[in-house]
């Protein structure tokens, strides 16, 4: 049978390394999802095809629609029901509870894009604050358009999930919000 205590130490070390590897993989998946949101979701040039490529991977889930695209040849329809008063959504989710990091990432991405002018939270989003919300804020994209950014944690398919979402209001909903 060989050296049983030595074998036990080896198996214990192997189990510890495997657990560390899983932690590293989860951490890198979280970083990839946060970076994907920051690098893509605020771009007016993002298309459904580009979103599918940017958010590819088993650890990242996304929801994207653009009913009034800035640069795409055709609208990207919503897979489900669009939020009333919005014409674009970019949402990234991943397993785990990283709501605080999601809020930091969203704030930094907004600042990097120069989207810093606060706007009133529109009526369409006043009920969006739920347990787990870490950021819910409206920002003026320009004098006539508003976006709502929402981050936090919620129940997901595999336990808690972290989400980062930005929704662009329609021109009509933006005018109403900016009154």
């Amino acid at each position: 049978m060989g050296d049983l205590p030595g074998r036990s130490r080896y198996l214990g070390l192997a189990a510890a390394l495997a657990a560390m590897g899983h932690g590293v993989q989860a951490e890198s998946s979280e970083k990839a999802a946060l970076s994907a949101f920051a690098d893509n979701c605020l771009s007016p040039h993002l298309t459904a095809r580009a979103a599918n490529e940017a958010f590819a991977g088993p650890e990242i889930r996304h929801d994207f629609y653009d009913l009034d695209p800035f640069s795409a040849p055709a609208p990207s329809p919503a897979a489900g029901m669009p939020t009333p008063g919005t014409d674009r959504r970019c949402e990234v989710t991943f397993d785990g509870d990283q709501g605080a990091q999601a809020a930091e990432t969203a704030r930094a991405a907004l600042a990097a894009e120069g989207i810093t002018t606060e706007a009133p939270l529109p009526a369409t989003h006043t009920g969006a604050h739920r347990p787990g919300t870490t950021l819910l804020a409206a920002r003026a994209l320009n004098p006539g358009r508003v976006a709502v950014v929402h981050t936090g944690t919620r129940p997901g398919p595999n336990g808690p999930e972290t989400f980062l979402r930005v929704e662009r209001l329609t021109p009509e909903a933006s005018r109403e919000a900016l009154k």
Side-chain angles (χ1 to χ4, degrees):
M1 275 237 160
D3 181 15
L4 195 55
R7 186 177 291 181
S8 294
R9 279 194 301 271
Y10 172 77
L11 292 174
L13 179 60
L17 289 173
M20 284 174 49
H22 177 71
V24 169
Q25 181 182 357
E27 184 178 315
S28 65
S29 297
E30 292 164 358
K31 285 182 180 181
L34 294 168
S35 293
F37 176 87
D39 295 344
N40 296 284
C41 281
L42 299 178
S43 170
H45 303 287
L46 185 66
T47 64
R49 182 179 181 168
N52 287 336
E53 291 171 9
F55 308 127
E59 297 88 12
I60 302 174
R61 297 176 293 280
H62 77 281
D63 181 16
F64 178 83
Y65 64 82
D66 192 346
L67 306 177
D68 186 16
F70 181 73
S71 62
S76 302
M81 193 65 177
T83 302
T86 69
D87 59 15
R88 185 174 194 268
R89 174 188 300 146
C90 185
E91 178 177 282
V92 175
T93 60
F94 57 91
D95 293 342
D97 184 349
Q98 297 296 321
Q101 185 64 36
E104 285 180 36
T105 298
R107 284 186 185 102
L110 289 165
E113 291 293 324
I115 305 171
T116 57
T117 304
E118 292 185 22
L121 194 62
T124 55
H125 289 76
T126 54
H129 193 281
R130 303 238 190 303
T133 292
T134 55
L135 174 65
L136 179 59
R139 297 288 184 266
L141 297 173
N142 60 47
R145 292 295 282 243
V146 172
V148 175
V149 179
H150 190 182
T151 67
T153 58
R154 62 187 179 205
N158 304 313
E161 73 178 4
T162 300
F163 69 93
L164 301 93
R165 175 189 311 142
V166 60
E167 293 180 307
R168 184 181 64 205
L169 301 183
T170 63
E172 300 78 24
S174 293
R175 279 194 295 278
E176 188 64 32
L178 292 170
K179 282 186 180 180

